[in-house]
């Protein structure tokens, strides 16, 4: 009898533990910051994140082997890069400025002007197989991608570990899931601002930021409103629309959406010049003055404002070796 009770208790404990299993991934977050949401059909695991990281840094994901995610999203620049727009494979012209990827897992509206982009898994297909612009050029090359990755024994092992029980997992949907899992680890809450370590100029700049109402759009701890339940609320027109880029109206077809773009996060912004959706502003001051009504900000106020934005740089995030180019592959040094 006792033995039965004990084994029942054990079984109950097992059920309890399964229901409250520790998360497969632990984010290193400051107090008060919740982990990002994770879709039920793409749970986190260390093996999946490691696979996603390798894929993020692999030029073989592009048609001619020359362009990987990291070419446009370089860690040292906050996962952006220094061109106004970056060409895709075979010199295909770029269209918009690459975006900072820190805390992207918290956002419900992705990219500058396409409100249909709501999940990291789906967004991966845009650079991979998109044609407007062509970035990695893999449209129609899905079987080739499977062939290439399957030819590598370490990739075979990594896919098996990342997607246990899914024998045919080396394909575009699983590539996207793994990369999305890696992107969810790109959290950035380690700046001087987060540590409450603002210097005097940055403190004054924080005051200017508040007074000028910047946080109406560059909101809260993410410094963007792109985490709102209604993704359309994150698209704003900060200057008159121009003919070069229709912005949100390209997708919605509404005239009033012309020139609207999604609020970019200002975290790590000091590292990510040039600015705005087309990379047309070279400095922070220039980007800020382009906002309606901001042209008249005085030089002293501007210096303080840029000092505050500088205090949003997270050195740990942009140098963390766990987020950089992998140095080992299946346990072996490269
Ligand atoms: C040729 C340059 C280029 C390559 C390669 C590239 N990206 Fe991007 N990325 C961009 C640009 C430009 C944007 C903004 C696109 C737009 O809004 O039209 C962007 C936007 C994003 C966003 C949205 C970020 C946000 O805040 O909304 C994510 C996520 C992203 N890229 C991930 C990736 C991943 C993953 C890869 C590899 C599979 C990749 N990118 C490859 C240039 C690139
Ligand atoms: C009405 C919403 C709104 C307000 C208020 C606002 N911004 Fe912006 N901000 C945006 C949008 C949208 C963009 C992108 C516009 C584009 O790409 O054309 C942007 C872009 C920026 C950029 C460039 C970031 C990058 O990565 O390219 C900086 C810097 C910036 N804002 C700072 C500020 C400051 C400082 C204030 C207060 C003086 C402010 N913003 C007020 C919506 C806003």
């Amino acid at each position: 009898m006792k033995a039965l009770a004990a084994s029942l208790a054990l079984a109950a404990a097992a059920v309890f533990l399964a229901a409250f299993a520790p998360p497969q991934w632990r984010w290193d977050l400051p107090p008060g910051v919740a982990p990002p949401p994770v879709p039920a059909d793409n749970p986190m695991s260390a093996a999946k994140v490691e696979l996603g990281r390798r894929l993020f840094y692999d030029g073989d994901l592009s048609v001619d082997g020359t362009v990987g995610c990291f070419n446009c999203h370089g860690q040292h620049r906050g996962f952006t890069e220094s061109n106004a727009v970056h060409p895709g494979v075979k010199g295909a012209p770029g269209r918009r400025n690459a975006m900072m990827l820190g805390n992207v897992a918290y956002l419900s509206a992705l990219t500058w002007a396409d409100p249909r982009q709501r999940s990291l898994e789906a967004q991966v297909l845009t650079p991979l197989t998109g044609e407007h612009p062509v970035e990695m050029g893999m449209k129609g090359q899905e079987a080739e991608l499977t062939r290439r990755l399957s030819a590598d024994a370490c990739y075979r092992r990594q896919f098996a570990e990342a997607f246990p029980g899914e024998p045919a997992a080396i394909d575009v949907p699983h590539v996207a899931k793994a990369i999305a899992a890696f992107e969810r680890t790109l959290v950035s809450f380690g700046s001087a601002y987060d540590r409450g370590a603002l210097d005097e100029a940055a403190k004054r700049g924080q005051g200017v930021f508040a007074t000028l109402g910047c946080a109406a759009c560059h909101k809260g701890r993410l410094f963007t409103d792109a985490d709102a339940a209604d993704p359309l609320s994150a698209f704003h027109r900060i200057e008159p629309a121009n003919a070069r880029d229709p912005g949100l109206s390209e997708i919605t077809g509404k005239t009033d959406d012309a020139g609207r773009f999604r609020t970019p996060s200002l975290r790590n912004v000091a590292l990510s010049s040039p600015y705005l959706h087309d990379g047309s502003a070279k400095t922070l001051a220039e980007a800020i003055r382009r906002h309606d009504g901001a042209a008249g900000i005085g030089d002293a106020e501007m210096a303080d404002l840029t000092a505050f934005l500088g205090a949003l740089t997270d050195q740990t995030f942009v140098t963390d070796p766990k987020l950089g180019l992998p140095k080992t592959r299946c346990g072996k040094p490269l």
Side-chain angles (χ1 to χ4, degrees), residues 226-257:
D227 61 335
D230 171 13
L232 280 174
S233 66
F235 296 81
H236 309 274
R237 184 168 44 244
I238 62 160
E239 59 179 343
N242 64 54
R244 289 188 308 277
D245 192 329
L248 180 60
S249 70
E250 181 178 54
I251 306 297
T252 63
K254 292 188 188 149
T255 332
D256 184 52
D257 287 340

Side-chain angles (χ1 to χ4, degrees), residues 97 112 209 212-218 234-239 259 261-266 269 272 274-278 284 287-288 291 294 297 305 309:
N97 192 237
W112 285 111
F209 193 82
L212 294 178
C214 308
C217 305
H218 301 285
F235 296 81
H236 309 274
R237 184 168 44 244
I238 62 160
E239 59 179 343
F261 294 93
R262 197 211 72 197
T263 313
S265 168
L266 298 180
V269 75
S272 72
Y275 302 111
L276 304 182
H277 65 275
D278 55 358
L284 281 174
I288 296 170
H291 290 59
I297 298 176
L305 206 44
L309 297 185

Side-chain angles (χ1 to χ4, degrees), residues 72-93:
C72 299
H73 300 285
Q75 182 184 19
H76 292 286
R77 300 187 64 98
F79 291 90
T80 67
E81 56 87 46
S82 59
N83 293 290
V85 298
H86 191 288
V89 290
K90 301 172 187 158

Side-chain angles (χ1 to χ4, degrees), residues 48 66 125 159:
K48 198 187 283 178
T66 59
L125 304 183
F159 274 93

